[in-house]
Amino acid sequence: MVSSPASSLSIAGAASRSFANINIASPRGLLSPRPLQPGISSPIGSGNGRRTSSGRYLPVSQDDNEQGEEVTSQFHYTVHIPPTPDNRPLLFSTPMAQQQQHQLPDDGASVTPAVPIQSRQEFVSNTLFSGGFQSLTRGHVMEKMVESESANPETDECDKGPSICAVVGCDGQVIRDERGQDITPCECGFLICRDCYIEALESNGICRGCKHMYRVCDPDRQHMRTNHGDDEDDEPEESDQFQLPPLSKEQALERRLSLLRSFKSNNPPLLMGKNTSEFDHARWLFETKGTYGYGNALWPKDGNYLKGTGAAPPDFEKGRRRPLSRKKSISAGIISPYRILAVIRLVALCLFLTWRIRHPNKEAMWLWGMSIVCEIWFAFSWVLDQLPKLAPVNRTTDLSVLAEKFERPTASNPKGRSDLPGMDVFVSTADPEKEPPLVTANTILSILAVQYPVEKVACYLSDDGGALLSFEALAEAASFARIWVPFCRKHNIEPRNPESYFQAKGDPTKNKVRTDFVRDRRRVKREYDEFKIRINGLPESIRRRSDALNAQEEIKAKRAQLELGSDPTAQLKVERATWMADGTHWPGTWSAPTKDHSRGDHAGIIQVMLGPATSDPVYGNAEDLLLDTSGIDVRLPMLVYVSREKRPGYDHNKKAGAMNALVRTSAIMSNGAFILNLDCDHYIYNSLALREAMCFMMDRGGDRICYVQFPQRFEGVDPNDRYANHNTVFFDVNMRALDGVQGPMYVGTGCVFRRIALYGFDPPRTTENSGCCGRRKMKVKCKRGMLNKNAAVEEDETEDIEAQLIPRKFGSSTTLVASIPVAELEGRPLSDYAGTTNGRPSGLLTSAREPLDAATVAEAINVISCWYEDKTEWGSSVGWIYGSVTEDVVTGYRMHDRGWRSVYCVTKRDAFRGTAPINLTDRLHQVLRWATGSVEIFFSRNNALFGSRRLKPLQRVAYLNVGLYPFTSVFLIVYCFLPALSLVSNQFIVQSLGLTFLIFLLSITISMCLLALLEIKWSGITLHDWWRNEQFWLTGGTSAHLVAVMQGLLKVIAGVDINFTLTAKAATSEDTVDEFAELYEVRWSALMIPPLTIIMTNIIAIAIAFGRTVYSRVPDWSKLLGGVFFSVWVLAHLYPFSKGLMGRRRRTPTIVFVWSGLLAIIISLMWVSISSPPNTASGLQIQPFQFP
């Protein structure tokens, strides 16, 4: 076997478990939106083998070999192989290939048999590719992984693409019957289209192929003529004439547009639309005063429009220029009072703080000092949070305009193929134990059933754990998708997550018009129940299979030991491997980790579960056993399993590294211009969500948008939302307000990216802000820092230098670099607007996608190797940014800092839905991870203070608040203890509760409540949501945020690395008695100590102060009321936290009371020892308080 680091590829058959070396050729060329010349390489040679009905090649067994020849399962064929890590191409070949290379024809041209694209693509779809650094790139042929490809209607004879007319100079489609099969009007089988056949009949009725008169191509009639000898009469009878089948809708539309085919030339006539290559029917109707038939209004014969009123003719391009999206400002009756109240509260805060500083409490300076410092910080934090909220906006989309612009049949596109750009969907998972495979499989199914052009969608699952369980669960999902996706398309199912759909409450027959819906739903439900049983049984199935095969390997090793005459008592070392279903080792992580098979040490794996779909629809038929899919498109989007290579000694950068690996893999395999990022527990709830995003990306000025962020919505949250899991204040208030500035932040999931923005390029144009508060703005036209097709011939030295630096930026893959300008071009809006300078022509993306081959997958294996990012800019300026546990916020900030804009898309029906941790401990750890990332951002170069002038001032303030909000916890904890200290010491933060203090306190409180009411009005949230957010803000601020500040300081000062565990995703189960059982489960965590101490301290302080005031000779009720008011304010905010500690049946862990009691006693004793009773002016000592 010949081996080379990441340079050779070998193919193994599942039955033989052996590998065969093959030829290595040049790497794949430039990816193009239009198909390139088909390759001449063959995935299967001419060796012994057989082909199944679905096109899969399998090795021939001895029993199948009728001639008794020697059988081998080794294949000999040629593929394109990626270069080695040090960029040195190598060349290997088998002896058979070398012999074929020397056997050339006389003209010196090599002859290589061509293989159909369908066969090559099926070969790729049934091969598991693995490899990495200093290892072979292997292609393992999977005999049985998913449902047989023969069941896929895409491979049926009747569903092949239409044939082309054989008449020279004609490119029309051959006549087809109602079933979609090609038919020929002549016995010779000459392929001819309808128009050419009619012309032949009208001229002389002679076939263009056999030069004889046309006869009926009927096998039965031909057989009768042969038997009766009736072949001497060549004259056609009336019954022998060929009957043309009726025209389908598509064919009728094509015939209506056939007269416009002459406008495909390079010099279009004057009747073409402005900035577009399509024929303008409306202008033709106006200028020629013609009609299209009955039902159309005739133009006035006198030539006057509107009865000679002198009115201008209508603008017929007005409909074409309709915007895809609109920005709607908030009503002035709501936003104006909101802004006025914000100014009033700011003035009140300034006056209050000024009064507080000028009137200190000389009796308790320490108490006054701590309170004034905390209040100043709270005012500063409120200003940072409030300023970006002053310009909120709402946005709407028009999906009908999107369909009209990109999917309307035209002269150049008679079939109405979609001109929308490609969309690559990324789903990330890392641990199948914490992220159940059933949840991930449902997310994948919702993606495969999305309402977007099937041929434009590609789904990639990143399994960062390399688990066989995730791999086989994805294979099961791909099999079940052949039933689920047609069912969704047939009956317009929403949501298209089967688990959520079948568990939804309500009448499932609502708005369903088909009579067979109930029957289909019952059958699909039964299939889904079986699918869940298979998914849930996969762990046990894999364990039993591995145990059985490992036992066989031990027996073989024992026999080999005995044959060699070794000591039979010696202990054998047999690896406890994890086995795939075909009886081979799993190349990823094993259940018993060993070298090259552990979470941090395994090869890269790529498996194409579902190949790319064809460009034309493939309709089912009524003969399907489960569903009647007549007239239903049964194609499935491309589905790929990816597990990047991991090796010891390399920093894999967690989720950000996995996402960057998917960016490179998808660029080589599908190269969609846009990328949708989803967590494994977030599924598509609105199947039109991708089209909603395209309304912004493809609209005028959409080339400046880097991403479209959707709000996160959650299922499985308790009705009271005890811990503010819905987070509606952030998603419906803060994010909607940022949409009016420069755009919302990226929050990690439910976001559609522009691929070129992820590559680190600048927008085509932007605005730089300078001067005080960014008052002076200057528009800047940015220069694309990318390699274009003419870079080699241009004389500009700067562009030549940039071209040389591109490999250092993106890596050594030439295929990846070549895909960049293609993705940039496909992501542009159409150039049908006046003044558009950065658009693309209409119809550019209607061509078929280039098929996959082994070379493409081998190159994808190359770019997910652990070494690929070395000495490149991946993670620093390209892709997801490394260095923070909140890589999502940093990635979005870098895009905004380069001048890009983002858009917040709130749809009427939620675009995505996911799960949220409803357990208190899990929720606190989630908040801890977010807050720690914010502290890391503040102490890094990603701090908004160091941003460029392209970052808008209010956007800078918003990002600055992201890095500063965890530090509020320090002042918040102090302020929560102040009421207790005030009650215990019988002092207060002010000298006395005078009228001035009460007026300030009342005005600040009322203004805060009014601002909250107006926010509720323009954002659409409820008062309950706002109050829950305030409660959990105090809970998280006194627990997780404080720990985050400590961890961030330790990382900055001492370099201590921070590690977090995944948040467990609970799989829904129909057998669960209480779906909110986790809500009442108490899991002790050290994060609970600070808020628990605050609760106990304030309760004890209230009791002490109340008893002292009641039994005092001269009670001071004002100080008591002031202290009790603030203590009750603290306790009211911590009520959900204290309720969560009670559990379901008030079973609070003993350690909770132990810690809280100890801390409360320690604080009380410290206070008693520090504070001594004061003396009166007469010198008499006041007796300390004693209970009676």
Side-chain angles (χ1 to χ4, degrees):
M1 178 183 297
V2 182
S3 63
S4 175
S7 62
S8 60
L9 180 141
S10 57
I11 305 298
S16 63
R17 307 181 197 172
S18 62
F19 295 86
N21 296 322
I22 55 177
N23 291 342
I24 298 178
S26 59
R28 193 180 178 210
L30 174 69
L31 296 178
S32 172
R34 294 189 178 274
L36 302 177
Q37 293 295 332
I40 60 175
S41 60
S42 171
I44 301 298
S46 58
N48 294 328
R50 61 183 176 87
R51 182 175 181 178
T52 63
S53 59
S54 62
R56 183 190 294 112
Y57 285 89
L58 297 178
V60 180
S61 63
Q62 187 68 29
D63 297 335
D64 296 334
N65 190 6
E66 299 177 357
Q67 300 179 0
E69 298 178 357
E70 183 180 358
V71 177
T72 175
S73 62
Q74 296 183 350
F75 310 139
H76 300 281
Y77 53 91
T78 304
V79 296
H80 298 284
I81 301 300
T84 56
D86 52 359
N87 206 18
R88 294 178 300 177
L90 302 178
L91 184 62
F92 301 97
S93 61
T94 59
M96 179 178 297
Q98 294 177 357
Q99 183 179 1
Q100 292 177 355
Q101 291 177 0
H102 289 290
Q103 296 176 354
L104 301 178
D106 297 336
D107 56 356
S110 59
V111 178
T112 306
V115 175
I117 295 176
Q118 180 75 13
S119 302
R120 287 188 290 159
Q121 187 157 306
E122 288 177 359
F123 171 77
V124 172
S125 301
N126 293 282
T127 305
L128 174 69
F129 291 85
S130 63
F133 182 55
Q134 293 184 349
S135 62
L136 283 171
T137 301
R138 294 184 171 89
H140 179 78
V141 180
M142 310 293 292
E143 286 193 15
K144 182 180 180 181
M145 179 53 58
V146 296
E147 187 177 338
S148 175
E149 297 290 342
S150 60
N152 184 6
E154 295 185 25
T155 60
D156 294 343
E157 292 291 336
C158 62
D159 292 324
K160 293 181 179 179
S163 302
I164 304 300
C165 178
V167 178
V168 179
C170 179
D171 58 351
Q173 297 180 6
V174 173
I175 304 173
R176 309 186 80 183
D177 59 7
E178 295 82 355
R179 296 172 296 176
Q181 295 181 349
D182 295 344
I183 56 177
T184 56
C186 183
E187 296 176 348
C188 66
F190 183 78
L191 299 178
I192 192 171
C193 64
R194 179 184 293 267
D195 296 334
C196 293
Y197 174 68
I198 295 176
E199 291 178 0
L201 292 180
E202 292 176 352
S203 58
N204 50 15
I206 298 177
C207 175
R208 299 290 182 89
C210 63
K211 308 303 180 182
H212 291 80
M213 298 297 295
Y214 276 110
R215 288 179 177 271
V216 178
C217 184
D218 190 350
D220 298 333
R221 182 180 296 273
Q222 185 178 3
H223 179 68
M224 292 175 60
R225 287 181 177 180
T226 303
N227 294 338
H228 295 281
D230 187 15
D231 56 354
E232 63 278 359
D233 187 9
D234 292 338
E235 296 297 328
E237 299 179 1
E238 184 178 357
S239 59
D240 291 342
Q241 293 298 325
F242 175 75
Q243 299 296 328
L244 283 173
L247 286 173
S248 62
K249 294 182 180 180
E250 294 182 357
Q251 293 172 339
L253 177 61
E254 185 178 0
R255 287 183 60 84
R256 287 197 297 268
L257 299 177
S258 60
L259 297 177
L260 306 177
R261 292 178 180 175
S262 60
F263 297 112
K264 296 181 181 179
S265 61
N266 296 328
N267 298 321
L270 297 177
L271 293 180
M272 305 299 286
K274 296 180 180 179
N275 300 318
T276 181
S277 60
E278 300 176 3
F279 181 77
D280 196 335
H281 298 263
R283 181 173 294 180
W284 177 86
L285 179 65
F286 169 70
E287 296 185 3
T288 61
K289 304 177 183 179
T291 63
Y292 281 131
Y294 295 102
N296 293 275
L298 292 175
W299 205 262
K301 295 182 179 180
D302 55 0
N304 295 327
Y305 182 70
L306 294 180
K307 298 182 179 180
T309 58
D315 186 2
F316 294 109
E317 289 192 354
K318 183 178 180 180
R320 183 174 298 170
R321 294 197 301 265
R322 282 189 301 167
L324 299 174
S325 62
R326 297 180 184 273
K327 183 170 66 173
K328 300 172 60 178
S329 301
I330 305 298
S331 174
I334 299 176
I335 195 62
S336 297
Y338 180 77
R339 294 170 179 169
I340 294 174
L341 274 175
V343 174
I344 292 175
R345 191 165 193 266
L346 178 61
V347 173
L349 284 174
C350 294
L351 295 176
F352 174 69
L353 293 176
T354 303
W355 180 83
R356 285 293 315 279
I357 294 174
R358 292 182 177 180
H359 298 80
N361 186 2
K362 298 181 179 180
E363 296 180 358
M365 291 295 294
W366 59 273
L367 197 62
W368 171 84
M370 289 191 297
S371 63
I372 196 65
V373 170
C374 294
E375 289 166 358
I376 292 175
W377 178 267
F378 293 152
F380 173 69
S381 178
W382 176 81
V383 171
L384 292 181
D385 182 68
Q386 185 63 44
L387 282 178
K389 296 181 181 179
L390 298 179
V393 295
N394 292 323
R395 297 183 186 271
T396 59
T397 59
D398 194 339
L399 297 180
S400 61
V401 178
L402 183 73
E404 181 182 354
K405 290 174 69 68
F406 292 92
E407 297 175 339
R408 179 170 55 93
T410 61
S412 60
N413 184 22
K415 292 185 178 180
R417 288 182 179 177
S418 177
D419 199 21
L420 289 171
M423 179 74 67
D424 294 338
V425 186
F426 295 169
V427 180
S428 58
T429 182
D431 189 353
E433 295 180 359
K434 294 185 177 181
E435 298 169 334
L438 183 60
V439 175
T440 305
N442 277 274
T443 300
I444 296 297
L445 291 171
S446 69
I447 296 171
L448 298 180
V450 70
Q451 291 192 45
Y452 199 79
V454 182
E455 68 276 10
K456 303 296 181 70
V457 179
C459 180
Y460 296 84
L461 175 66
S462 172
D463 180 17
D464 220 26
L468 179 60
L469 177 58
S470 300
F471 177 83
E472 295 195 357
L474 186 64
E476 291 287 351
S479 177
F480 179 71
R482 302 189 185 279
I483 304 173
W484 173 251
V485 174
F487 171 70
C488 293
R489 293 172 182 166
K490 179 179 179 180
H491 298 288
N492 196 20
I493 299 299
E494 292 288 351
R496 301 196 172 184
N497 177 322
E499 185 70 23
S500 300
Y501 171 72
F502 288 120
Q503 288 190 358
K505 299 179 181 178
D507 184 11
T509 61
K510 185 178 181 180
N511 299 328
K512 297 297 182 291
V513 296
R514 288 182 175 262
T515 57
D516 57 349
F517 168 71
V518 176
R519 181 189 60 189
D520 291 348
R521 185 180 186 276
R522 187 181 300 113
R523 292 178 177 179
V524 174
K525 178 63 167 61
R526 182 174 62 251
E527 292 292 329
Y528 177 67
D529 292 338
E530 296 178 358
F531 167 74
K532 287 202 300 183
I533 293 174
R534 292 195 300 270
I535 292 291
N536 295 328
L538 280 178
E540 183 65 17
S541 175
I542 294 174
R543 186 190 63 81
R544 291 184 178 182
R545 178 204 311 153
S546 299
D547 290 345
L549 294 177
N550 285 329
Q552 294 180 8
E553 293 296 321
E554 291 179 358
I555 295 174
K556 292 180 181 179
K558 193 68 174 179
R559 291 177 180 175
Q561 183 183 28
L562 295 176
E563 292 176 358
L564 295 175
S566 303
D567 185 8
T569 60
Q571 185 176 1
L572 294 175
K573 294 183 179 180
V574 180
E575 294 181 341
R576 303 290 299 177
T578 298
W579 297 77
M580 292 188 290
D582 61 350
T584 56
H585 285 179
W586 168 244
T589 302
W590 289 356
S591 300
T594 60
K595 183 181 179 181
D596 297 333
H597 295 285
S598 61
R599 286 187 179 273
D601 184 13
H602 62 80
I605 308 170
I606 293 180
Q607 169 70 49
V608 181
M609 297 289 182
L610 297 173
T614 59
S615 299
D616 296 323
V618 178
Y619 299 105
N621 50 64
E623 298 178 358
D624 293 343
L625 298 178
L626 192 64
L627 298 176
D628 180 8
T629 56
S630 301
I632 305 299
D633 189 1
V634 296
R635 293 177 299 164
L636 296 178
M638 180 178 172
L639 178 62
V640 184
Y641 172 89
V642 180
S643 180
R644 58 177 174 149
E645 182 189 17
K646 288 187 175 182
R647 299 299 178 191
Y650 288 88
D651 187 3
H652 304 294
N653 298 296
K654 301 173 184 176
K655 180 182 178 181
M659 300 308 296
N660 285 338
L662 286 184
V663 171
R664 298 190 294 270
T665 303
S666 61
I668 292 175
M669 301 184 68
S670 57
N671 198 29
F674 297 95
I675 296 172
L676 170 62
N677 162 229
L678 291 176
D679 289 341
C680 66
D681 60 330
H682 275 72
Y683 68 92
I684 299 179
Y685 187 75
N686 183 358
S687 60
L688 296 174
L690 301 186
R691 292 180 176 268
E692 299 271 0
M694 287 299 101
C695 287
F696 298 104
M697 293 293 192
M698 295 289 102
D699 204 0
R700 184 174 183 178
D703 55 341
R704 299 176 57 192
I705 299 175
C706 57
Y707 61 82
V708 176
Q709 178 66 61
F710 291 86
Q712 293 185 18
R713 307 301 185 195
F714 302 100
E715 294 178 337
V717 179
D718 58 297
N720 291 325
D721 195 12
R722 179 183 296 178
Y723 306 124
N725 291 102
H726 287 298
N727 212 0
T728 52
V729 173
F730 174 76
F731 288 114
D732 291 329
V733 178
N734 298 73
M735 298 284 279
R736 196 190 299 263
L738 285 176
D739 196 15
V741 185
Q742 195 174 349
M745 304 175 186
Y746 168 45
V747 294
T749 184
C751 185
V752 176
F753 284 98
R754 185 181 298 273
R755 182 181 288 271
I756 205 68
L758 277 175
Y759 286 153
F761 294 111
D762 294 333
R765 57 197 177 278
T766 184
T767 303
E768 291 188 354
N769 305 275
S770 60
C772 180
C773 299
R775 291 183 178 180
R776 292 197 299 270
K777 298 181 179 181
M778 180 177 60
K779 294 185 178 181
V780 178
K781 186 176 181 181
C782 302
K783 180 182 178 181
R784 290 286 185 184
M786 67 175 60
L787 180 65
N788 53 55
K789 299 179 180 179
N790 299 323
V793 298
E794 291 179 353
E795 299 178 357
D796 193 341
E797 297 180 357
T798 304
E799 294 190 3
D800 292 340
I801 295 175
E802 291 179 355
Q804 297 175 3
L805 294 178
I806 278 183
R808 300 182 184 178
K809 184 175 183 179
F810 299 101
S812 59
S813 175
T814 56
T815 307
L816 174 62
V817 174
S819 69
I820 295 175
V822 178
E824 192 274 336
L825 177 62
E826 293 182 359
R828 295 181 183 180
L830 294 180
S831 57
D832 57 351
Y833 292 105
T836 302
T837 59
N838 193 41
R840 61 175 173 87
S842 177
L844 180 66
L845 307 182
T846 57
S847 301
R849 174 184 290 180
E850 188 177 353
L852 285 178
D853 52 17
T856 307
V857 185
E859 180 69 9
I861 287 289
N862 178 37
V863 298
I864 63 172
S865 301
C866 58
W867 56 267
Y868 187 84
E869 294 184 354
D870 291 350
K871 299 180 181 180
T872 65
E873 297 184 13
W874 285 98
S876 59
S877 61
V878 180
W880 271 259
I881 306 302
Y882 302 154
S884 175
V885 295
T886 53
E887 72 286 337
D888 46 4
V889 178
V890 178
T891 302
Y893 165 75
R894 288 291 187 87
M895 295 181 184
H896 286 144
D897 191 50
R898 287 192 293 267
W900 290 95
R901 295 181 57 88
S902 60
V903 168
Y904 197 55
C905 182
V906 181
T907 56
K908 294 181 179 179
R909 178 183 177 87
D910 296 341
F912 308 97
R913 282 193 178 182
T915 58
I918 61 176
N919 183 264
L920 177 60
T921 304
D922 293 339
R923 178 75 166 125
L924 290 178
H925 280 90
Q926 184 185 56
V927 175
L928 173 63
R929 183 171 66 253
W930 296 342
T932 305
S934 297
V935 176
E936 292 175 343
I937 293 173
F938 181 78
F939 288 110
S940 67
R941 64 185 181 125
N942 297 312
N943 193 317
L945 294 175
F946 309 130
S948 67
R949 292 188 299 175
R950 297 180 181 180
L951 196 66
K952 290 190 176 182
L954 291 182
Q955 193 78 15
R956 189 187 304 271
V957 170
Y959 276 111
L960 182 62
N961 186 38
V962 170
L964 281 176
Y965 83 89
F967 295 94
T968 306
S969 61
V970 179
F971 305 94
L972 187 60
I973 288 181
V974 174
Y975 209 74
C976 288
F977 277 111
L978 285 181
L981 298 177
S982 176
L983 291 172
V984 174
S985 63
N986 199 24
Q987 300 292 337
F988 198 55
I989 57 177
V990 294
Q991 188 75 28
S992 62
L993 292 177
L995 181 62
T996 305
F997 176 78
L998 294 178
I999 291 176
F1000 277 124
L1001 184 63
L1002 187 62
S1003 61
I1004 292 174
T1005 304
I1006 292 177
S1007 62
M1008 180 187 68
C1009 295
L1010 292 178
L1011 280 174
L1013 291 176
L1014 289 177
E1015 283 184 0
I1016 291 171
K1017 186 69 176 178
W1018 62 255
S1019 64
I1021 65 175
T1022 62
L1023 183 61
H1024 178 268
D1025 295 333
W1026 179 85
W1027 175 236
R1028 286 302 189 196
N1029 181 79
E1030 292 294 315
Q1031 288 179 318
F1032 194 77
W1033 170 77
L1034 186 63
T1035 302
T1038 55
S1039 56
H1041 294 176
L1042 179 63
V1043 178
V1045 172
M1046 296 179 180
Q1047 289 183 348
L1049 293 176
L1050 287 176
K1051 182 178 181 180
V1052 173
I1053 298 175
V1056 179
D1057 194 12
I1058 304 172
N1059 293 319
F1060 290 95
T1061 58
L1062 286 174
T1063 304
K1065 280 80 173 179
T1068 57
S1069 176
E1070 298 178 354
D1071 300 332
T1072 305
V1073 179
D1074 188 359
E1075 57 178 332
F1076 306 122
E1078 290 189 359
L1079 179 67
Y1080 308 103
E1081 185 177 353
V1082 181
R1083 306 169 186 169
W1084 172 251
S1085 173
L1087 297 177
M1088 299 179 180
I1089 296 177
L1092 193 57
T1093 305
I1094 292 174
I1095 293 175
M1096 298 299 296
T1097 303
N1098 279 274
I1099 293 176
I1100 294 174
I1102 291 175
I1104 292 176
F1106 183 78
R1108 179 176 54 202
T1109 304
V1110 169
Y1111 293 100
S1112 177
R1113 297 178 182 177
V1114 183
D1116 190 354
W1117 293 101
S1118 62
K1119 293 183 178 180
L1120 175 65
L1121 292 177
V1124 170
F1125 174 79
F1126 285 104
S1127 292
V1128 171
W1129 177 84
V1130 172
L1131 294 176
H1133 281 74
L1134 291 175
Y1135 172 73
F1137 172 82
S1138 59
K1139 189 176 181 181
L1141 294 179
M1142 297 296 104
R1144 181 186 295 274
R1145 299 180 181 178
R1146 302 184 181 275
R1147 296 179 179 177
T1148 305
T1150 307
I1151 191 173
V1152 173
F1153 295 105
V1154 172
W1155 275 103
S1156 58
L1158 286 176
L1159 290 175
I1161 292 173
I1162 290 173
I1163 293 174
S1164 301
L1165 292 177
M1166 289 178 62
W1167 174 254
V1168 171
S1169 62
I1170 294 174
S1171 177
S1172 58
N1175 297 329
T1176 60
S1178 59
L1180 298 177
Q1181 185 176 6
I1182 299 178
Q1183 296 294 330
F1185 168 74
Q1186 294 179 355
F1187 283 102

